Amino acid sequence: MITSNGLKKLGFTPEEDFSLRDDGDGPYIHDWMSASPQPSEAEIEAADAEWQAEYDAHEYARLRATAYAPIGDQLDMQYHDQQDGTTTWTDHVAEIKARYPK
Amino acid sequence: MSEVKVNKISPRSGTDVTLGDSGDTFTIPSGATITNSGTATGFGGDNTPSFLAYSTTNISLTNDTYTLPTYNTEAWDTDTAFASGVFTVPSGEGGKYLFWGGGYFALEADATSRLVWYKNGVVQDQFRAYGGRYGSAQDLPNSGMALFDLSATDTMSLYVYQDGTTSKNLYYAFFGGMKLIGV
């Protein structure tokens, strides 16, 4: 299948090098604007598979990013840890890293 | 030329008054006034063809792809001119049309949505509607309106777009339109 992620993995930029459209039967290249030759569907699919593997490998990072407390709250944790000699902030970060391991 | 001057014209009992026959023309001169205090029908036309379609299910949008939504419900379609996301101007119904559409886009952080109008399959850039770009993932609305001067058999469709990194849903998608009168 033609995907933007596959084309981006090959170094092309949406709306600058290509434009995809889906009229109901799946995405296709509607406009090819790049000066470089248009890659084949097989090349795009192979690049998309590579992109997907990298994306999946970073699932833990996306989960961690949404699980961490807002930056303001973390600064507050760090302030009180320094004032009170506690480890609230470190515990918070460690718990999320353990919950979503690499 | 003869002139009839009366204060009131009334039908004979049990009948209606008819003015002239098919093909006749009655002219209201400049400066003359017709005052209506009753019910007038058949004047000025109506805003048809008209249609409104919407989706009661989520529509998955592949990222960086102009997608023609599939609407599973038609609230109305006066001339059966809307099908599979495309409105086709019926024969004899050329003129100016107003369209509107949109929905809620489930966007990733910093992603944007777009609504793009296509006339006869060609993008009409003057009415692009951009939405979104928020610091965190959000469901954000985007809707747009557009006016076009169309001829019979012209087609209009609304494509939607989101530029996140993966496929995302479009909720409450809708697309409607109607012919304008008097313009």
Side-chain angles (χ1 to χ4, degrees):
Chain A
M1 187 175 80
I2 304 288
T3 66
S4 173
N5 293 332
L7 286 162
K8 286 191 283 191
K9 185 68 182 170
L10 291 170
F12 300 107
T13 303
E15 301 305 290
E16 289 182 22
D17 296 321
F18 66 89
S19 179
L20 300 184
R21 215 165 104 169
D22 183 351
D23 302 326
D25 296 321
Y28 64 94
I29 297 175
H30 185 257
D31 293 309
W32 185 258
M33 296 88 86
S34 172
S36 300
Q38 180 178 319
S40 67
E41 184 165 351
E43 289 172 322
I44 296 169
E45 287 177 345
D48 181 74
E50 196 177 330
W51 175 89
Q52 189 67 52
E54 291 173 4
Y55 182 82
D56 293 345
H58 288 86
E59 175 71 2
Y60 76 91
R62 288 188 296 277
L63 293 170
R64 286 179 181 179
T66 57
Y68 287 130
I71 292 298
D73 292 347
Q74 293 193 49
L75 290 172
D76 190 60
M77 289 177 200
Q78 291 178 6
Y79 171 79
H80 284 290
D81 283 346
Q82 282 202 345
Q83 293 292 309
D84 306 333
T86 55
T87 58
T88 308
W89 178 72
T90 305
D91 294 345
H92 169 68
V93 174
E95 187 276 324
I96 289 169
K97 286 182 181 294
R99 196 194 314 168
Y100 302 116
K102 284 186 180 178
Chain B
M1 183 171 126
S2 59
E3 183 176 7
V4 177
K5 289 191 174 183
V6 294
N7 290 324
K8 185 177 181 183
I9 299 174
S10 300
R12 293 174 60 183
S13 178
T15 65
D16 295 329
V17 173
T18 300
L19 298 177
D21 295 302
S22 175
D24 291 344
T25 300
F26 292 81
T27 302
I28 310 298
S30 175
T33 301
I34 295 179
T35 302
N36 172 50
S37 300
T39 301
T41 60
F43 290 93
D46 52 28
N47 294 104
T48 59
S50 171
F51 71 96
L52 175 62
Y54 59 89
S55 179
T56 57
T57 58
N58 301 336
I59 299 169
S60 180
L61 302 180
T62 306
N63 58 308
D64 303 324
T65 303
Y66 292 97
T67 302
L68 181 66
T70 300
Y71 306 93
N72 64 7
T73 305
E74 285 187 12
W76 68 82
D77 182 7
T78 60
D79 292 61
T80 320
F82 181 80
S84 303
V86 179
F87 171 76
T88 304
V89 179
S91 176
E93 295 293 356
K96 295 183 175 63
Y97 282 76
L98 170 68
F99 296 94
W100 65 101
Y104 267 82
F105 292 78
L107 294 177
E108 297 172 4
D110 296 322
T112 63
S113 65
R114 297 174 203 172
L115 303 174
V116 182
W117 302 91
Y118 280 74
K119 176 184 174 183
N120 296 327
V122 178
V123 66
Q124 306 294 301
D125 268 332
Q126 71 271 35
F127 292 116
R128 276 178 189 253
Y130 288 82
R133 199 173 294 287
Y134 202 77
S136 59
Q138 299 282 337
D139 292 345
L140 294 172
N142 190 2
S143 62
M145 302 177 75
L147 289 159
F148 292 97
D149 193 356
L150 302 176
S151 302
T153 73
D154 279 348
T155 61
M156 284 301 309
S157 50
L158 175 63
Y159 280 70
V160 296
Y161 184 100
Q162 61 89 11
D163 60 5
T165 57
T166 60
S167 294
K168 292 294 178 185
N169 278 334
L170 171 65
Y171 311 104
Y172 307 117
F174 69 95
F175 178 28
M178 62 182 181
K179 185 179 181 181
L180 300 177
I181 55 176
V183 291

